[in-house]
Amino acid sequence: MNLSAIRDDFPILKNNNVVYFDNAATAQRPVQVLKAIGDFYTTTNANPLRGLYAWSVGATDAYENARSRVARFINAADDAEIIFVRNTTEAINLAAYSYGMEKVNAGDEIVISVMEHHSNILPWQMVARAKKAVLKYIEPETDGTITVDMIKEAVTDKCAILALGQVSNVLGVANPVKEAARIAHEHGGVILVDGAQGLPHLKTDVQDMDCDFYAFSGHKLPGPMGIGALYGKRALLEAMQPFMRGGEMIEYVKRDSATYAELPHKFEAGTVNAADAVGLAAAIDYIDAIGYEAMEAQENAVTALILDGMRKLPHVHVYGPKDPLLHHGIVTFNIDGCHPHDIASVLDEENIAIRAGHHCAQPLMEYMQEKCAMEFRATARASVAFYNTEEEAERFVAAVSKVRKWLGFGD
Amino acid sequence: MEIKDLYREIVNEHNLYPVHKGEMEAPDLILEGVNPSCGDDIYLQLKLDENGVVTEGLFNGSGCAISQASTDMMLDLIIGRKKDEALKLAEGFMSMVRSTATPEQIEELDEAAALESIAHMPARVKCATLGWKTMQKMLSGEATPATTENE
């Protein structure tokens, strides 16, 4: 992998001296993605799936080719199993409304973990409340590890849905989702895997994983904002009711009734986001050309440097596993006496961009505050992508070593 | 002002060595102020005399340096003042962080005027205003008296 050539592809990185370590929130996009979006609007923009003229046919092709590209990327058996949505949150809501609200019964269990992002908690809270089901939490070890045994213990014959993140957005740990799928199926349940943090770091094969649903966002990949996908097994999607109703998702509409379009369009009401789907396909082409192995190698090298450097610093606490290879680019930390928001503010002045706060994972923050004796119910988080460099890691560690001084401590 | 200068010149002092932080016995008013997005969670305790003058004020709880320092500076300003004067100062502070304050309003804020540059840091405005908003609510009658809060 030629790192300097890759960085040249990212105008925002090239034109600024910013250490961008907030990749888990959203990645930066290469020119190839920006150009694909621009090309769509400048060469074939029209409303896809409707028009009977060349541009609309071109827009339809571009959109459907993007779907095929996504299907191939995660090895879905069928293009129709890819539903384009805005983001992971919408994908999980689609599954919760159209599958959960229909199939979960009173007394059933929905199993999630304390480590989930709010987008993989709130939809299930809603289903559980509405259907009088039980929302059951798996509690990870303090470093974020969820073992197969923990899943076995939580999943019983009452489990209708198991919903797990592929990778934690706070602790970076990958969950044993393939084993989880097997366990859920043994008990007659289905599994949804939240791939928002997983897909940017892990080569994913939904058939091998044997998940029933897989949700992800384009913008962490590094594709555009506003496009993501829900993968669902065909038989499940066929049996589900639409999530939203309106334009382009119908066969026939009468005054009092309607029949719906075939998959996948049944779930894509209204004008679709074709341009960003095309951008997402370009992002997939981009990372496929680099290859996961090369991306992981770079991310791991930078992550290891950060972890090594930070573990030598007094007053700095790093959370998650000891082994840098298990972090998937995510380094969550605190500094004694320093609120994470103050840490992020002073690092910003050093042109270092990190996330600080609860990371949309308040139940985990509460859990960590208790189990890891955290001073605040919040953490700071640096998250690395394949285009980050070793120099950036060094700049970051050097700045972190000065945070306490900047915040008035005399050491 | 650069943020590190802001911390160095004023915020760190009030955050690390707050004058008005602690637990009050039998406050007349007590109210919790929360910034869910930051996890800032403070509670403000006030005593008022029969003329509506704030005679004592303390805050407690945890939060970022900006929220702690801002609350400490606020208490510096409002202790010894009448309710409506304190509310007027709060109005001035809110205007300041929205960049709409008059020079007179900013001058009245004394040390707290140092937080003027927070207006350029939208993510931190909520931190700076937490104590002030809590005080506004308390003095405009939204506060639950201490005894009911504890029930």
Side-chain angles (χ1 to χ4, degrees):
Chain A
M1 189 173 99
N2 182 343
L3 190 55
S4 81
I6 283 174
R7 285 184 73 86
D8 279 346
D9 287 336
F10 290 78
I12 197 168
L13 300 176
K14 205 164 62 174
N15 302 333
N16 296 285
N17 187 29
V18 171
V19 177
Y20 186 72
F21 275 173
D22 197 18
N23 295 286
T26 194
Q28 299 300 342
R29 297 99 184 81
V31 280
Q32 289 83 344
V33 169
L34 306 176
K35 184 172 179 302
I37 299 167
D39 285 352
F40 176 87
Y41 283 123
T42 49
T43 63
T44 192
N45 179 55
N47 205 322
L49 310 164
R50 286 167 172 74
L52 300 166
Y53 51 90
W55 286 350
S56 179
V57 172
T60 308
D61 285 349
Y63 183 61
E64 293 303 331
N65 287 341
R67 190 191 311 279
S68 302
R69 189 69 189 90
V70 171
R72 258 187 295 141
F73 185 56
I74 61 171
N75 196 31
D78 186 338
D79 291 358
E81 294 178 320
I82 303 298
I83 315 295
F84 279 125
V85 292
R86 283 186 302 139
N87 46 38
T88 308
T89 300
E90 187 174 307
I92 299 175
N93 273 276
L94 194 165
Y97 274 96
S98 294
Y99 184 86
M101 293 296 270
E102 296 289 328
K103 304 286 179 190
V104 173
N105 297 307
D108 284 354
E109 291 177 351
I110 300 171
V111 180
I112 63 175
S113 89
V114 171
M115 214 159 48
E116 300 310 309
H117 188 282
H118 293 165
S119 59
N120 201 26
I121 297 177
L122 300 188
W124 308 120
Q125 278 183 356
M126 172 198 72
V127 174
R129 201 176 302 123
K131 309 311 284 188
K132 300 191 166 53
V134 178
L135 184 60
K136 209 163 147 184
Y137 283 89
I138 299 172
E139 291 194 350
E141 284 166 17
T142 48
D143 70 353
T145 305
I146 291 178
T147 62
V148 174
D149 282 344
M150 290 177 183
I151 299 169
K152 276 187 186 155
E153 206 187 303
V155 176
T156 68
D157 287 345
K158 287 184 180 168
C159 175
I161 298 171
L162 170 62
L164 275 184
Q166 190 179 14
V167 166
S168 159
N169 71 315
V170 177
L171 296 168
V173 189
N175 289 322
V177 284
K178 189 173 170 177
E179 291 83 348
R182 190 176 44 73
I183 295 164
H185 294 150
E186 275 170 14
H187 291 279
V190 300
I191 181 169
L192 176 143
V193 175
D194 168 359
Q197 291 301 333
L199 198 57
H201 305 283
L202 297 170
K203 178 82 191 134
T204 297
D205 178 331
V206 288
Q207 291 189 72
D208 177 60
M209 195 191 286
D210 199 22
C211 56
D212 299 288
F213 298 105
Y214 184 84
F216 74 92
S217 295
H219 70 97
K220 297 186 203 277
L221 259 185
M225 289 180 178
I227 191 82
L230 175 71
Y231 157 82
K233 282 184 183 164
R234 185 166 193 132
L236 291 173
L237 294 174
E238 296 275 16
M240 284 156 55
Q241 289 297 308
F243 175 40
M244 298 209 199
R245 291 160 173 83
E248 209 47 56
M249 48 76 71
I250 50 93
E251 277 175 351
Y252 295 105
V253 177
K254 295 188 173 167
R255 288 195 181 201
D256 299 320
S257 65
T259 54
Y260 302 121
E262 296 278 306
L263 286 178
H265 303 111
K266 176 171 94 175
F267 290 107
E268 294 180 354
T271 294
V272 296
N273 186 358
D276 289 327
V278 168
L280 172 58
I284 290 173
D285 285 340
Y286 188 82
I287 59 179
D288 247 3
I290 299 170
Y292 271 101
E293 238 173 84
M295 293 198 305
E296 276 174 53
Q298 182 59 23
E299 286 164 7
N300 289 341
V302 175
T303 307
L305 266 180
I306 295 175
L307 284 171
D308 282 353
M310 291 190 48
R311 283 181 178 143
K312 285 181 196 136
L313 298 176
H315 300 290
V316 173
H317 307 278
V318 179
Y319 305 105
K322 274 223 134 29
D323 183 353
L325 302 183
L326 301 179
H327 276 255
H328 301 95
I330 289 176
V331 179
T332 286
F333 66 99
N334 269 322
I335 304 175
D336 289 334
C338 306
H339 191 281
H341 279 194
D342 297 314
I343 300 172
S345 278
V346 292
L347 290 180
D348 174 44
E349 213 166 84
E350 296 291 298
N351 281 327
I352 295 171
I354 63 158
R355 171 86 194 259
H358 56 60
H359 314 287
C360 301
Q362 287 183 2
L364 177 63
M365 289 297 114
E366 197 181 344
Y367 181 74
M368 286 172 69
Q369 194 178 27
E370 188 196 318
K371 302 275 176 179
C372 309
M374 289 192 335
E375 202 174 336
F376 303 101
R377 193 170 288 187
T379 66
R381 179 189 71 188
S383 54
V384 169
F386 59 90
Y387 41 70
N388 286 123
T389 68
E390 283 85 347
E391 275 166 80
E392 290 180 313
E394 281 159 14
R395 237 175 94 187
F396 172 74
V397 173
V400 168
S401 74
K402 292 184 210 146
V403 166
R404 270 181 59 95
K405 191 187 84 191
W406 290 326
L407 294 179
F409 292 91
D411 49 45
Chain B
M1 199 190 308
E2 300 278 291
I3 192 147
K4 287 207 281 284
D5 295 334
L6 178 66
Y7 278 102
R8 195 181 59 241
E9 286 174 18
I10 185 109
V11 171
N12 290 341
E13 180 72 21
H14 281 278
N15 177 44
L16 298 177
Y17 313 104
V19 184
H20 305 289
K21 191 165 179 174
E23 203 72 36
M24 189 183 288
E25 256 182 59
D28 294 324
L29 293 171
I30 182 165
L31 189 67
E32 189 182 20
V34 187
N35 268 339
S37 64
C38 324
D40 292 337
D41 189 351
I42 61 157
Y43 58 97
L44 205 53
Q45 313 145 86
L46 298 177
K47 270 186 193 170
L48 280 81
D49 69 10
E50 64 280 8
N51 301 317
V53 174
V54 179
T55 54
E56 286 178 49
L58 285 176
F59 76 101
N60 221 335
S62 81
C64 67
I66 305 250
S67 71
Q68 299 269 306
S70 181
T71 306
D72 199 49
M73 287 190 270
M74 175 192 81
L75 286 169
D76 261 353
L77 271 173
I78 68 162
I79 293 169
R81 299 219 200 199
K82 288 188 113 168
K83 209 158 126 172
D84 48 347
E85 289 176 314
L87 287 169
K88 215 179 123 211
L89 286 167
E91 210 174 291
F93 190 85
M94 298 303 168
S95 302
M96 181 182 80
V97 297
R98 285 194 295 262
S99 302
T100 58
T102 62
E104 294 75 37
Q105 277 179 313
I106 291 175
E107 207 187 311
E108 278 172 1
L109 288 170
D110 196 34
E111 215 179 19
L115 292 173
E116 193 182 355
S117 54
I118 286 288
H120 309 297
M121 303 164 201
R124 306 308 304 273
V125 168
K126 272 192 200 161
C127 313
T129 55
L130 179 64
W132 289 90
K133 278 193 174 153
T134 309
M135 183 266 280
Q136 271 184 321
K137 278 190 183 170
M138 291 171 92
L139 295 185
S140 36
E142 284 181 53
T144 330
T147 45
T148 2
E149 179 103 338
N150 293 337
E151 272 168 11

